[in-house]
Amino acid sequence: PNVGKSSFSDKVARADGDVQPCAITTKSMFVGHLDYRYMRWQVIDTPGILDHSLKEMNNIEMQSIAVLVHLKACVLYFMDFSEQCGYSIEAHCQLLHAIKPLFANTLCVLVINKIDVARLDDLAPERRALVDEIIKTEGMRHVQVSCYTDDGVTTLKTTACDALLEHRVDTKLKGNKVNAILNRLHVAQPKARDDVVR
């Protein structure tokens, strides 16, 4: 909660989420849309998740979990290194490790938000090691942004959309449907009928 998820979705999509400087403002899903590369993209702003077991989660948190589990998407996991959100960096890392199995086969981008206050390079070595462990996870991308100054917001949008496009193309190429279509294609090479260059 309170790491800037709604601020980001309001910046890039037309979600009209409730943005407040206090925790647990988003109490339901907000869906917005954006256009990128001549396609319409859906951005879902979910309520924040706290680090406790699934049995202890309330309905609001379970909605967020359902989105993570059931949608083919690119998950943006927001972290606040300034700790203005009320949660430590260690708590952010613990939560990601706890929920990562829920979206194991889903693309994930680590979003380091509020860089106008604290950046990745500002962390103490032991805290930096915790974050680096996440960044070095296979397939994990990371982007530093500030929704307050708009620094990196466009980069995050393009990173997420491009990753999702790349993943979908790879998935389609690995499927059986591609081979069925390729078997129906034939490239004809015309033979010259005279000496005219065409």
Side-chain angles (χ1 to χ4, degrees):
N2 203 28
V3 292
K5 300 179 301 296
S6 297
S7 296
F8 172 74
S9 67
D10 282 356
K11 294 273 183 191
V12 297
R14 296 170 288 280
D16 295 328
D18 190 14
V19 177
Q20 298 292 329
C22 59
I24 314 177
T25 305
T26 305
K27 293 183 174 66
S28 64
M29 302 291 172
F30 286 96
V31 179
H33 294 91
L34 63 93
D35 296 319
Y36 177 69
R37 291 201 177 187
Y38 307 106
M39 288 182 277
R40 176 69 41 103
W41 298 80
Q42 191 174 59
V43 178
I44 301 175
D45 179 17
T46 65
I49 302 171
L50 299 173
D51 189 16
H52 47 255
S53 70
L54 286 173
K55 292 178 184 176
E56 297 171 1
M57 289 187 178
N58 60 31
N59 289 339
I60 295 170
E61 291 175 295
M62 289 306 289
Q63 287 178 357
S64 300
I65 296 295
V67 168
L68 294 177
V69 172
H70 296 294
L71 290 181
K72 292 182 181 177
C74 179
V75 174
L76 305 180
Y77 185 82
F78 280 73
M79 292 179 78
D80 173 13
F81 289 170
S82 72
E83 298 180 348
Q84 292 174 343
C85 63
Y87 302 96
S88 68
I89 294 168
E90 292 81 3
H92 284 294
C93 295
Q94 253 182 328
L95 176 60
L96 181 58
H97 289 301
I99 64 172
K100 185 74 170 123
L102 297 173
F103 53 94
N105 297 324
T106 305
L107 294 171
C108 187
V109 177
L110 178 66
V111 181
I112 300 163
N113 195 16
K114 302 183 184 180
I115 60 169
D116 52 306
V117 181
R119 293 180 168 268
L120 182 60
D121 295 336
D122 299 337
L123 295 181
E126 61 278 356
R127 292 178 133 192
R128 175 70 188 250
L130 291 171
V131 178
D132 283 341
E133 179 186 345
I134 293 170
I135 291 172
K136 291 176 183 170
T137 305
E138 184 181 346
M140 180 68 77
R141 295 165 172 84
H142 75 284
V143 179
Q144 296 192 66
V145 302
S146 170
C147 292
Y148 181 72
T149 64
D150 289 346
D151 188 23
V153 170
T154 302
T155 303
L156 175 56
K157 178 184 82 170
T158 57
T159 299
C161 292
D162 287 343
L164 196 52
L165 269 176
E166 181 183 316
H167 178 70
R168 287 191 174 164
V169 168
D170 288 345
T171 303
K172 286 186 185 269
L173 287 175
K174 291 176 185 172
N176 295 334
K177 197 171 184 180
V178 169
N179 292 332
I181 293 170
L182 288 175
N183 290 336
R184 291 185 275 166
L185 295 177
H186 172 71
V187 178
Q189 294 292 331
K191 294 181 182 176
R193 61 178 182 226
D194 51 32
D195 293 333
V196 178
V197 178
R198 293 183 175 87

